[in-house]
Amino acid sequence: MSYTTQMNAARKGIVTGAMETVAKKENMPLETLMGRMAEGTVVIPSNKNHVNIDPEGVGEGLRTKINVNLGISKDCCNLDVEMEKVRTAVEMKAEAIMDLSCFGKTQEFRNRVIAECPAMIGTVPMYDAVGFYDKNLKDITVDEFFKVVERHAQDGVDFATIHAGLNRITAEKIKRNDRLTGIVSRGGSLLYTWMMLNDAENPFYENFDRLLEICTKYDLTLSLGDGCRPGSINDSTDAVQVEELITLGELTKRAWEQDVQVMIEGPGHMAIDEIAGNMMMEKRLCHGAPFYVLGPLVTDVAPGYDHITSAIGGAIAAANGADFLCYVTPAEHLRLPTLDDMKEGIIATRIAAHAADIAKKIPGARNWDNAMSKARADLDWEAMFSLSMDPEKARKYRESSKPEFEDSCTMCGKMCAVRNMKRVHEGKDIQLND
């Protein structure tokens, strides 16, 4: 039997190599995985042309995955630097890489990433359109927009962010609602501008079936972008955001009718007390489709520390149903991230994802923590380093301040609770004074 997409295969009862890989990684029965894929609550983004991918699943009952954004811009266009980021992100166990390049030789960089990288690859084709055609945004035609999408799919991109939900109805709400930060999505703002300049409907909304044909041809997973995501906590959960989300839910059902895999993208900036409700609303309005969130950032006043504000929101979001976290770095709102910025963002987001997996009771999630606790109780420093999310940093901290006694640290010395409990249980004497 043949199949067109991973969803189509699941619905036909065909076991693909990608399904076998994901089921093994997740310790999930194949039948359970395939059932959720058939329903649309789990996706395996795996383009037919991304031949060296190591597939990952995103969705219900699976580990929370993280995505790393990178790519070239006009001000920072060193392809080799960005490729180093790609390699480092994979080494640091990021499951997805999004190439957000918006200047110059975007296809050259994209093809290098796809050829080398085993992680899921995502893009936003809208970013590429202006540079690809070297013409004013207003003058790009509908056909040209779709040619860029197909080029990305043909190159092997596994999931593409398409802001198809920002239609003319939503655009009118933007005009009538007093947002502090308006539209902060780059792709959403470009589409909105094109719509206003041409007095036209969003081409991806108006020609959604054409988009689905491309997705089916290459098994491109559709990541329905939130062009109206809130860019400040003031703008969260407003009529504009909710209107677009309702439309995304409608488009999700249309995609599923064609066996196209779908993820939904979400906020953004949002106060802590709104996060759980937003996760429930998305799952309800979008019929359980996997939810992919940027943050949410829980406060707007910490530039330079937004990896922390994002990790706080991401942990809460994922614990309440979000399936995929887009990392945020300390450079958010300030500059293109450096390699070190990227590392900090990855660790912060992995902490959020893992903390959420414990809360969601993902099978095996606590085992890692239990192993670390055992190593701490045994004062086994080498085991602690090997189990650390960032072994290099843990070892560096330990070595930077050596204690008098190896079975303690310079925080507590001979008064270390773990050291003394261990010694007394071993029948050893405890001398706290020299």
Side-chain angles (χ1 to χ4, degrees), residues 107-145:
Q107 187 175 10
E108 178 185 337
F109 178 63
R110 182 167 62 250
N111 286 341
R112 284 180 65 180
V113 174
I114 292 168
E116 181 175 327
C117 185
M120 299 180 282
I121 306 299
T123 61
V124 187
M126 188 70 193
Y127 293 178
D128 199 19
V130 176
F132 188 83
Y133 294 110
D134 193 22
K135 61 198 297 188
N136 291 331
L137 177 62
K138 178 181 184 296
D139 299 326
I140 299 175
T141 67
V142 172
D143 284 345
E144 287 173 333
F145 280 132

Side-chain angles (χ1 to χ4, degrees), residues 125-126 129 133 135-150 191 194-195 198-211 214:
M126 188 70 193
Y133 294 110
K135 61 198 297 188
N136 291 331
L137 177 62
K138 178 181 184 296
D139 299 326
I140 299 175
T141 67
V142 172
D143 284 345
E144 287 173 333
F145 280 132
F146 278 92
K147 284 179 182 176
V148 172
V149 175
E150 180 139 23
L191 265 175
W194 185 91
M195 291 163 64
N198 289 284
D199 189 25
E201 180 58 277
N202 179 340
F204 298 115
Y205 176 78
E206 189 170 37
N207 302 279
F208 193 65
D209 288 336
R210 183 174 177 180
L211 181 62
I214 296 172

Side-chain angles (χ1 to χ4, degrees), residues 269-280:
H269 293 236
M270 182 168 290
I272 283 178
D273 61 334
E274 294 179 54
I275 295 174
N278 266 261
M279 299 307 107
M280 182 177 66

Side-chain angles (χ1 to χ4, degrees), residues 166-334:
L166 205 176
N167 58 18
R168 297 193 73 159
I169 295 173
T170 308
E172 287 302 314
K173 276 193 166 53
I174 293 168
K175 295 176 184 178
R176 295 196 303 269
N177 283 266
D178 188 21
R179 279 186 155 197
L180 277 178
T181 48
I183 295 179
V184 299
S185 159
R186 191 191 321 175
S189 68
L190 290 171
L191 265 175
Y192 179 85
T193 301
W194 185 91
M195 291 163 64
M196 295 301 104
L197 292 175
N198 289 284
D199 189 25
E201 180 58 277
N202 179 340
F204 298 115
Y205 176 78
E206 189 170 37
N207 302 279
F208 193 65
D209 288 336
R210 183 174 177 180
L211 181 62
L212 297 180
E213 289 176 8
I214 296 172
C215 293
T216 301
K217 184 177 180 181
Y218 300 96
D219 198 2
L220 174 68
T221 297
L222 195 53
S223 189
L224 289 173
D226 53 337
C228 299
R229 70 171 181 265
S232 62
I233 61 172
N234 179 78
D235 298 345
S236 62
T237 326
D238 67 354
V240 177
Q241 178 196 335
V242 176
E243 177 69 41
E244 183 183 35
L245 187 62
I246 291 170
T247 303
L248 296 182
E250 295 168 351
L251 294 176
T252 296
K253 294 185 78 172
R254 287 177 59 185
W256 286 347
E257 289 171 1
Q258 301 301 318
D259 295 340
V260 171
Q261 299 188 104
V262 175
M263 297 187 291
I264 306 296
E265 296 187 12
H269 293 236
M270 182 168 290
I272 283 178
D273 61 334
E274 294 179 54
I275 295 174
N278 266 261
M279 299 307 107
M280 182 177 66
M281 179 171 63
E282 183 278 338
K283 289 291 184 177
R284 179 69 173 174
L285 293 177
C286 296
H287 322 292
F291 201 17
Y292 172 29
V293 296
L294 177 66
L297 283 70
V298 295
T299 178
D300 301 328
V301 298
Y305 299 91
D306 277 331
H307 59 312
I308 297 174
T309 63
S310 171
I312 294 168
I316 297 169
N320 284 278
D323 307 287
F324 196 14
L325 301 181
C326 184
Y327 93 148
V328 172
T329 77
E332 186 78 10
H333 303 111
L334 301 172

